[in-house]
Amino acid sequence: MTVARPDLRATRPGFRSGQHWSTYSEIKVKAYGLPKDVTTLEVDDIFSQEGSIYRIDLINNTDGSGRGIAFLVFSPPPRRDFWRSGLYQARIPSRSLDAELRVQLSDLADPTFYKGLHSGTEYPETMTLSAESLDFGILHDEQTMKPMYHTQATARIPVTVRQSLRFRDIEVSFPVKFGSVHGCGKEDSKGLKYENKNGTEVSKGLNREWMYRFCISHALPMTVFEINPPGMNANAVALVIWVGYPPEFSRKYEDRLSHRSGSSSWCTRDAWYRTVDILYNPEIAKALPARLNNTTSLINIGRWTTYKLVFDLGKNNAAVYKQFLDALRDFNIPVKHCPDFSFMEENIPSVFDHIDQLASSPKEFKSFADELLDNSICHLHFEVRYQLEVCISEGCLNQYNLSREFVEKLNKLEVERATEILASVAIRKKRVFNPMSIFEDMRVRKPRRKIPEYAFYAHTATVTPTTIYFGTPSMEISNRVIRRFAEHANRFLRVRFTDEKPKGNIYGTDRDTMNEVFTRVKRTLMNGIVIGDRHYEFLAFGNSQFRENGAYFFCPLPHLSTAKIRKWMGNFEDIKIVAKHAARLGQCFSTTRAIHGARVTIRELDDVTSKNGKFNFTDGVGIISKFLAQVAASEIGISTPSGEPPSAMQFRLGGCKGVLVVWPLASKRELYIRKSQHKFDADHEGLEVIRWSQFSAAHLNRQLITILTTLGVPKEVFLDKLDKQLFELSEAMEYPQIAVRMLQREIDPNQMTLEIAEMVNNNFQMVREPFMMSLLRLWRAYSTKFLKEKAKLAIEEGAILLGCVDETGKLKGHQDRLQRKVEHEHDLDSLPQIFLQLSTGIKGDGQLKIVEGVVVLARNPSLHPGDIRIVKAVDVPELRHLKDVVVLPKTGDRDLAGMCSGGDLDGDDFLVIWEKDLIPREWNHEPMDYTPPAPLTVRHDITVDDLTSFFVQYMKNDSLGTIAMAHLATADDSPLGAKDPRCIELAGLHSMAVDYAKSGHPAQMQAKLKPRRWPHFMENRTLKYHSKTALGKLYDRVELVDFVPSYDSPFDKRILEAYTLYDATLKEAASIKEEYDAAVRRIMAQHDIATDFEVWSTLVLHHTKEKKDFKFHEEIGQLSITLKDTYRDRCYTHVGGREYEKIAPFVAAMYTVAYRQMTEALRDPQRRGRLDDPEMIKQMPMMSFPWIFSAILGEIATGRRKGRSEVYGLPAKLQQFQSKKQPPRESIGEIKEEDVLQTPYGLTHRGDTLKLFSSSDTGNTSQAKNAIGLSEISENDPSRQGEEHSSPRSHSQPPPELQSHLPSIEEDPAKSLTSNSNAEHVDGSDDGSEEGADGGEVVLAAPTKASLLEKLADINDIDE
């Protein structure tokens, strides 16, 4: 089903001959002969006497220099036709200069009209009304408003209401008079000085009159009530506008003060500065923490979101008033005529008057004991208080609707029951006008169950410019800090700073119109957040949090302060770079899974650099033994197609980070850490895993397509691939074979498409099972959405993989001297080499493919033509133990990772493509130099003020998205594509913006680099043109598809009739489903996800936009896995085991419960007729619960076991131990040992500080350390006792005879590797490489000194 997209284009009727210029809403005048360096302020000074100037644009040359030409837009038109003679005598006061200018009237644009979405009626672009007064208040019930503040038009400032169909909003401007008459306290006898941004004093004292405005976007939830206010004249009419979220508020500055030096444009909008509060005395806000209960504002603009506007139709054009309301209706804004609407005059208390000490005089200090005895205050348990503030902040309950009776009844309930009642209210996200009904109507779910040890319930806050929102605690993956202080987990608060809902992120700006917003962020960071009796303080921010404007806060205890937690996190005293200091703190907040009880020997490795020392080939990559990798994989539950542990893992260990790669020569308990991986000294808290290597399907995006077309790939190639993908997506809805092929080929990062493919293989599509068909529809809608919005083209012969390094030195790297042969002759032998061995993506078959031939290597984002590298994939037998990673060389003049958009190997993903039609004609354009600028340092110890200031400065100056969009538009509009000089400059700025978080240097984009116009596929932008490039054509060919779940399809009788189910079993299955559904709804509410299908599959169509799509997809994958693990364990516990005979009948019961609930829902005829209505979809029962056991449902349905183990829900490697009656965690004996690290400096126990690369270590420069096992061995090494060998351990200082040798060791693959006899060469070519001798695995003892010397004698020179 395709989306009915409204026609939002303006229609322009023909020119009305004879229409006078003065009748237009605006006119444009062109002025010539101005000084080349004229400013917008000077142009304003010259022409402001002629009328109201709306906009000024200076015309510049391509290099940014001025041309002495300006365009002026007058709205309304000027008082006289000063352009009639063509000449204009001008006086430029700032230069004391008289000049004769040439002026002319530009072409008059006919009035713009917009067609209504329903009636087809044409409406003018702007409709304006004058109001008599404006009231701010709250909607007390469905038809009653409680006004809280009243203002009316003054002689200087009117109340104006303007609806713009161009901007799709309602703008209300109004005056505010400040004075003691408002009851805001006595005027400060000292008075206050209000200064403008230039420091000029504009008024003294507190009594003043300022002009404000707010803009209500049509996208906001909104209802308009039309009423005839009682007690007023017959011409009076009122509009009451209820808005679901606060609109944007701004304050008007003088026009002259809003012109910016160096800017080539100015608009009256530039004189409006965002405001976050309307206070009688702004000074008091400086020390106030953020809290939901705002008692200091004159107008609580964040909570009073119901507005009453009174109009006198005798002073307004009645036709314009009617047109105003008709346009609202025609653009989907509900307008209701309500003759019974009323207004409350009496004062009503807030719920905070009943539960907060703030109700008493601030001078009356009361101890906690006094407060407990104070009958006027009703004390709520913190979890109940927190959940109550969740409901109030989300608008589900209003603080003025909640009586003392409500609070007392809530307080009498058990904490868990009260919390769950309130959580149920919050999850529904609907306003409850009768709060007492929640105790009767709400079906309370069972309290939260125990969750996995690697997860926790996160308390969250979203701080916007005008208010604060709290989130119902939901399950998230923990981090090192949360695990260490797990007993205080609910004292942590994850905070994010955003713009008003639903706008999302606060974007960086080079203007100062957002200064108050950034000041609010800074004050919140410094003053904290208050919830009840808890005062949360800023703690630190994770690295990914930081880029998304988030941080962690903590409520201190007498024995545990935020300073103590930061001190525990690591030793950062020597780091004098604020950006780096913040990044090192953030390292501790990475979302990780801890590996418990593994004894580890850490050995140090030097990095391998280029001869000039400028480039690091091994930046961020170390080594892990296969045994330790298996321990980690078993504990986490990682399953790979081959059954082996993943070849690489992104990790944290103390102050170390990066990637660890499995290497055969590392003995049982060894980790090898490079100096580039050690960032700071920190307490050892065990090995932590962030993610691991796995196959993910390759996709192109707009940036990559731009670069590839620039390098010579014809646009027809992309269009052909799009047509094929769209055709197959359509056919896949009907033909299972096509669906399976696509799902197994286009594997998402969470690998859910593989699970869906297995469901299709079990014939669930054939029988049109409703959950199966819903998932397929969702998958199609998801795929087309990203094709339309991001040109996410699937590539069959490609992959996205974690990068690592070739420790053997066999792969040839990039050589500068061979670059000409690569560029001009396409000489394959001169190309850099990579190794690429892939699993086919189908779990369990163990099939592998070794790719050989010409390959495209790239990273996201790619903006420079040199970011895409052409390399040669070769087969190296010594590397065949590495799967689903891209192995890069450690030889040559420059590292390949760094040439790909400035990447490294500490966790970067690389795109590899070997489809021949995507190999560009131009090979290896000169790469960009990604060397970052020297970071900014300070001389003093870094403080919290330094960290928070950097946080705010980053928000203000973050221009990464702006630069990327400018690059995309410029490249699309230029015949040179991404080689346009402006694009090259933008690519450099983009790199600088990426490094800003580490260097502290912001990227400043000059006006000359801003696009003059935008391609049509970059939606919601002005000055568009219809792009004819590949991206424009791709956009035009894709039609969005609605996702409508297949609720009315028949459930699968193969499962419904498989077992005779007892009522007790069905009842328990329904009980657990109720818990599961509640957990899913928490996730949906937190991230604004529409259906449980999206949570289960991780294919989310829309979310809160608090995170970028890629990061969100990764996080929702973790949440979904944790959710499924939690409730699978719950079911296993109930049936008493994981055996098929025990769990299968219960899974059938789970499916039957879902069937019965859906059948009952579909009996309602109103539901059956609205199954495609988004509101009705929210009310339908959830179906995903039984599908947490999708494999078992498949086996019940097909009646075949497929050779699976009897034990379900365990990692493959653990099933063999479970079959021997051993507990899962004891399947590898070493897991239960104490975490002890053996380092070159001694033993480090859990909780001790892990120190590496000590300055006293004289062996750090040893090249021999780069070879695995090149150290002298000692027999008494405690870390190697009990292993398969008894060779002596290495000293930290290698023997002198080894120090001069290079790191490469040629090992016999038959001894050092598991031979991959089933590996398939993709192109079938044979380059003479030897295969492994056999298919068995050989475990080597650590090499002795003599054997190492023998091998060293055979090492070839690294450059050969």
Side-chain angles (χ1 to χ4, degrees), residues 307-343:
Y307 313 99
K308 173 188 173 186
L309 290 155
V310 177
F311 301 93
D312 185 343
L313 294 185
K315 299 179 183 179
N316 285 279
N317 187 323
V320 174
Y321 174 80
K322 180 180 182 302
Q323 193 178 51
F324 189 101
L325 295 185
D326 288 344
L328 287 175
R329 294 187 184 96
D330 223 353
F331 286 89
N332 295 327
I333 307 299
V335 180
K336 301 178 180 179
H337 184 71
C338 298
D340 298 329
F341 199 96
S342 61
F343 300 92

Side-chain angles (χ1 to χ4, degrees), residues 1089-1295:
I1089 300 172
T1091 67
D1092 64 320
F1093 304 101
E1094 294 163 83
V1095 175
W1096 185 92
S1097 66
T1098 74
L1099 304 177
V1100 177
L1101 294 172
H1102 302 283
H1103 55 90
T1104 55
K1105 299 298 181 185
E1106 290 184 358
K1107 298 180 183 297
K1108 293 181 172 63
D1109 287 327
F1110 177 80
K1111 185 66 178 177
F1112 177 79
H1113 194 70
E1114 183 180 290
E1115 291 196 10
I1116 195 65
Q1118 294 173 335
L1119 285 175
S1120 182
I1121 290 170
T1122 303
L1123 176 77
K1124 294 171 187 175
D1125 284 347
T1126 300
Y1127 285 93
R1128 275 195 288 258
D1129 288 343
R1130 178 92 170 81
C1131 296
Y1132 291 140
T1133 301
H1134 172 72
V1135 302
R1138 297 169 179 261
E1139 292 78 15
Y1140 179 85
E1141 290 74 16
K1142 292 181 179 179
I1143 193 63
F1146 193 73
V1147 172
M1150 294 160 61
Y1151 188 82
T1152 302
V1153 167
Y1155 159 72
R1156 291 182 177 180
Q1157 291 180 355
M1158 186 59 63
T1159 301
E1160 180 66 25
L1162 291 175
R1163 288 197 179 104
D1164 184 348
Q1166 290 187 347
R1167 286 184 171 180
R1168 288 193 64 87
R1170 296 174 54 202
L1171 294 181
D1172 58 349
D1173 184 346
E1175 289 302 315
M1176 184 56 64
I1177 289 173
K1178 294 178 182 178
Q1179 301 174 28
M1180 295 298 288
M1182 293 185 176
M1183 284 196 284
S1184 61
F1185 176 53
W1187 294 93
I1188 64 176
F1189 292 102
S1190 63
I1192 296 178
L1193 285 173
E1195 293 181 2
I1196 295 172
T1198 59
R1200 61 181 185 270
R1201 300 297 301 281
K1202 300 182 182 179
R1204 291 181 179 268
S1205 166
E1206 294 289 326
V1207 186
Y1208 284 79
L1210 291 177
K1213 284 292 184 182
L1214 287 184
Q1215 293 187 7
Q1216 56 183 311
F1217 295 103
Q1218 182 72 6
S1219 64
K1220 297 176 184 177
K1221 309 296 183 184
Q1222 296 181 16
R1225 288 288 173 83
E1226 297 179 358
S1227 60
I1228 298 178
E1230 290 76 1
I1231 291 181
K1232 295 192 70 175
E1233 297 179 0
E1234 179 192 2
D1235 288 336
V1236 178
L1237 299 180
Q1238 173 73 41
T1239 76
Y1241 314 104
L1243 292 177
T1244 301
H1245 296 267
R1246 180 179 284 270
D1248 294 342
T1249 299
L1250 172 61
K1251 294 185 177 182
L1252 293 174
F1253 300 95
S1254 169
S1255 58
S1256 61
D1257 176 19
T1258 58
N1260 273 349
T1261 59
S1262 169
Q1263 292 285 351
K1265 284 170 146 187
N1266 290 308
I1268 306 308
L1270 286 188
S1271 329
E1272 190 178 7
I1273 309 299
S1274 170
E1275 293 181 357
N1276 60 358
D1277 182 0
S1279 71
R1280 296 197 174 183
Q1281 292 176 6
E1283 296 187 14
E1284 299 88 338
H1285 55 78
S1286 58
S1287 302
R1289 76 175 277 262
S1290 66
H1291 298 297
S1292 60
Q1293 169 101 9

Side-chain angles (χ1 to χ4, degrees), residues 182-248:
H182 293 289
C184 300
K186 295 181 179 180
E187 182 178 348
D188 187 349
S189 60
K190 296 180 180 179
L192 289 177
K193 291 183 179 180
Y194 294 91
E195 297 181 349
N196 61 37
K197 59 192 179 68
N198 296 321
T200 305
E201 185 180 323
V202 293
S203 64
K204 292 183 178 180
L206 293 175
N207 296 334
R208 61 205 185 275
E209 182 181 75
W210 282 346
M211 183 177 182
Y212 290 88
R213 77 172 184 188
F214 58 89
C215 298
I216 308 174
S217 168
H218 283 190
L220 289 173
M222 178 183 8
T223 302
V224 178
F225 303 91
E226 185 185 22
I227 60 176
N228 296 107
M232 299 191 72
N233 64 57
N235 287 327
V237 65
L239 296 181
V240 174
I241 305 176
W242 169 85
V243 186
Y245 302 117
E248 292 183 6

